[in-house]
Each structure stands twice: as C-alpha cells, then as structure tokens.
Amino acid sequence: MITSTSSAALARRAARGVRRAVAVSLAAGLALAGAALTVPTAAHAADDTIGILAAPAGPDGSADGRTRFSYAADPGQKISDQYVVRNTGTTVQTFTVLSTDAFNDEAGEFALLETDAEATDIGSWVTFENGTDRLQFELAPGASRLVSFTVSVPADATPGDHVGGLATSVKTPSGQVVLDRRLGTRMYLRVSGDIQAGLSIAGLNADYIGDWWNPFSGSVRVRYTVENTGNIALASNITVGASTWFGIPTGAEQGDGIPELLPGGTRTYETDLPGIASWGYLNAHVTLNPFVEGDDATKLLPVPATSRDTILFAPPWTILIALAVVGIALIVRRWRAKVDARRAEEWIAYTEAEAARKAAEREVVGAGSSS
C-alpha cells in the first residue's frame, strides 16, 4: 500500500518507496561484484572493520557478473552452482552461508527470512558440501572461499517460480546485543508445468478531495491492492486516471512502476490525481501492465494487461447551491405572479360588483323619483 494529501506529498512518498525498494533489493537480493558491506564494530579496535562480499561465481572462483541465480528445471532435477564469499574487512570473521526462502513483507517488498528461520520451499532444496542448508567457516582479511551448492528439485514440486536466496551472515556482539550483518543474492527457480501469469486489482475505491466552495480545483484519491494470482513473480507498470460524463478524460493520468510481487504476494497503493473538477460523476480506473523482471530471456513471456474502475460522485456544491437559489427565486416569482394575478382578478370582480350594485341603486332611486 500509504497516505498522501497532495500530489507533492505523493511524489515524496513514491520517491521514498522507490529508495526503500532499491535499498532492500541491494541488501537482500543483489550481490554485486565490488560492493562490500563495511561497518565499524565495537568488539574490536577502533580501526577494525567488518566487510562482506558475496556473489554468484564461475568454477574458477571469480564473480561472473550475475546479479541473481536464475534457473529453470523439471521436477526431480538437480542443479549445481557456485557462490564466492570474501572477507573485505580487517579482522578474522566467521561467515555463515545459508539458503532461505523469500517473501513480500508488509510493504510488499522483497525480503528473505531471518537467519535463524527455517526454510520450507526453495531454501530447503539447497544443500552445501556439508549436506545441510547452511555452511559456516572462518576467513582471514582479504581471503575468499568458493562455496559449491546443489539445488535438488523435489519430484512433487509445483509449477511456477520458487523464490529464495543465498545469504551470507556475520554475527558480532555489540554491547548487550548481537548484530547480524547479511548480504543476500536472490534465487529464482521456475519449475516446468502449467505456468500461470497474472496480477489482479482488489479493494479498489476512490474519494474526491477538494474545497466545497471551489468546484474547479480538486483531486481524486484512488486506493487499490495489487495481488499476484499466478505462479510466477511479476513486476508491473501501472496507470491511474479518471474520466467524467461520456467517458471524457479529466485530470492527468499518473504512471509508475511497482516492484516485483512473488506468487500470492499483495501490496496496497494510494494515488492522488490532481486537477480534477467536481463534475458530479467521475470514473476512476487503474490499469496494470505486468512483466517478468530479470535478464533471463528464457523466462520472459507476455502477460495480459488488467484494469478495473470504480464510480464516485463529486457534487459541485457551489453550482448546486446557486441553481437552488435561482430555482427558489423562480418559484417565488411564479408564486408571487399567481398571487398578484389572483388579487387582480379579485379586484376586478370586486369593482365590477360594486359598479353593478351602484347602478342598481341608481335605478331604484330613479324609479322612486318618477313615481
């Protein structure tokens, strides 16, 4: 998902979300050659540092430029690969390399299970040279080790993407707590079978925000949840807009990209569409254009776009009040006209009656005189 009260606030929040997603991806999902984790530690001398470098590697023990492990396999198949770990710090450190599962956290971002958590999916399929899903060893400053591992796909593995990662952990005491410094590399394994790709939009609703007295300057706030209903990981480009009577667009559409969602993952968003007048009837819509992330061409496939809309009412109160005042004035004027017409008719009838009465009196008086 997120709360924003203006387009500027939304932009700042989106920027923070992007920065946060990039930071999580770098810390939990990417191990780039030459990017070392170097921090001071209170357990050693003031100039001692802890540094971790870990990346996919070739058989020669050198990082081979991959930013993630990406495989495609059949149920029951085994895959072998390598991972290079280097101590870029200044002290001897104990490294723990482990395989674990990935998930989307509460913010919908990519994350790996904690070091001590037990993996149940792809993290449990990986074994190192000691036959377990984690390996521990010491490295002197500047030293590196090539870690070989095997991914054994179960015979009953379900089709689609199984996502996890290899994490390199160094734990050091710091006062009363133990710091767990980790550097992770994402691992994607697509099991053959019935591949289903799709994102859906749920919980879509919208509100009109603006000053009641100014019908020409407002915004529409759209809230929606994106859910990965398929069995492969997908990112998406997204477009949010609004239209009014007869489908006429109003305001400016907002477009952005959303981070990768794992199968079953969800994330809730909120977008403000500025510059929309209160036309009475408004139709807000959201369109997703999903795609497969990564540079593995064998996994790329077309994914159909999906869209959803919702109707909201934004009455132009000042216009309605003005129309109401005009309407009341017309009604009062018509009523007064009817009243005046009735009074005129009554007056005419009265004067005619008086004239007739006086004429009758004169005839009576004239007849008496004649007698």
Side-chain angles (χ1 to χ4, degrees), residues 18-106:
V18 170
R19 290 195 295 270
R20 185 170 62 248
V22 171
V24 172
S25 297
L26 288 175
L30 300 176
L32 300 178
L37 176 63
T38 305
V39 291
T41 176
H44 299 278
D47 57 349
D48 287 343
T49 58
I50 296 172
I52 304 172
L53 174 63
D60 61 352
S62 301
D64 57 11
R66 287 179 291 170
T67 58
R68 60 175 68 186
F69 295 106
S70 181
Y71 311 119
D74 298 324
Q77 186 176 341
K78 290 188 177 183
I79 302 169
S80 297
D81 210 336
Q82 297 82 33
Y83 193 54
V84 63
V85 178
R86 183 183 177 189
N87 183 355
T88 59
T90 60
T91 62
V92 176
Q93 292 298 327
T94 299
F95 291 80
T96 301
V97 179
L98 63 133
S99 61
T100 188
D101 297 334
F103 65 99
N104 288 116
D105 61 17
E106 291 182 356

Side-chain angles (χ1 to χ4, degrees), residues 239-295:
T239 303
V240 183
S243 59
T244 183
W245 302 98
F246 310 110
I248 300 173
T250 180
E253 288 187 336
Q254 301 294 314
D256 203 352
I258 61 174
E260 183 180 66
L261 283 178
L262 305 182
T266 62
R267 185 169 184 176
T268 300
Y269 296 89
E270 185 176 275
T271 302
D272 280 1
L273 302 173
I276 297 180
S278 51
W279 297 108
Y281 165 83
L282 293 171
N283 179 244
H285 56 83
V286 178
T287 301
L288 301 177
N289 288 283
F291 59 91
V292 178
E293 276 191 334
D295 52 7

Side-chain angles (χ1 to χ4, degrees), residues 5 64 163 171 192 194 249 336 368:
T5 58
D64 57 11
V163 186
K171 291 184 178 181
S192 60
D194 182 16
R336 286 297 303 271

Side-chain angles (χ1 to χ4, degrees), residues 132-261:
T132 69
D133 62 355
R134 59 189 61 207
L135 182 66
Q136 193 172 81
F137 52 85
E138 285 188 351
L139 287 178
S144 60
R145 175 168 174 171
L146 182 64
V147 177
S148 299
F149 62 91
T150 300
V151 184
S152 300
V153 184
D156 59 351
T158 57
D161 285 347
H162 297 263
V163 186
L166 295 187
T168 301
S169 168
V170 173
K171 291 184 178 181
T172 56
S174 177
Q176 307 247 341
V177 299
V178 175
L179 296 179
D180 183 4
R181 299 176 176 89
R182 299 202 310 174
L183 189 64
T185 301
R186 301 189 188 195
M187 179 181 291
Y188 294 77
L189 192 154
R190 181 168 296 176
V191 178
S192 60
D194 182 16
I195 301 300
Q196 300 176 6
L199 298 179
S200 68
I201 303 168
L204 175 63
N205 62 82
D207 296 313
Y208 187 80
I209 300 172
D211 299 320
W212 68 269
W213 47 266
N214 184 359
F216 303 107
S217 178
S219 63
V220 172
R221 179 165 296 167
V222 185
R223 291 176 295 273
Y224 52 96
T225 298
V226 179
E227 180 180 2
N228 188 337
T229 55
N231 57 15
I232 65 171
L234 291 172
S236 182
N237 293 318
I238 189 165
T239 303
V240 183
S243 59
T244 183
W245 302 98
F246 310 110
I248 300 173
T250 180
E253 288 187 336
Q254 301 294 314
D256 203 352
I258 61 174
E260 183 180 66
L261 283 178

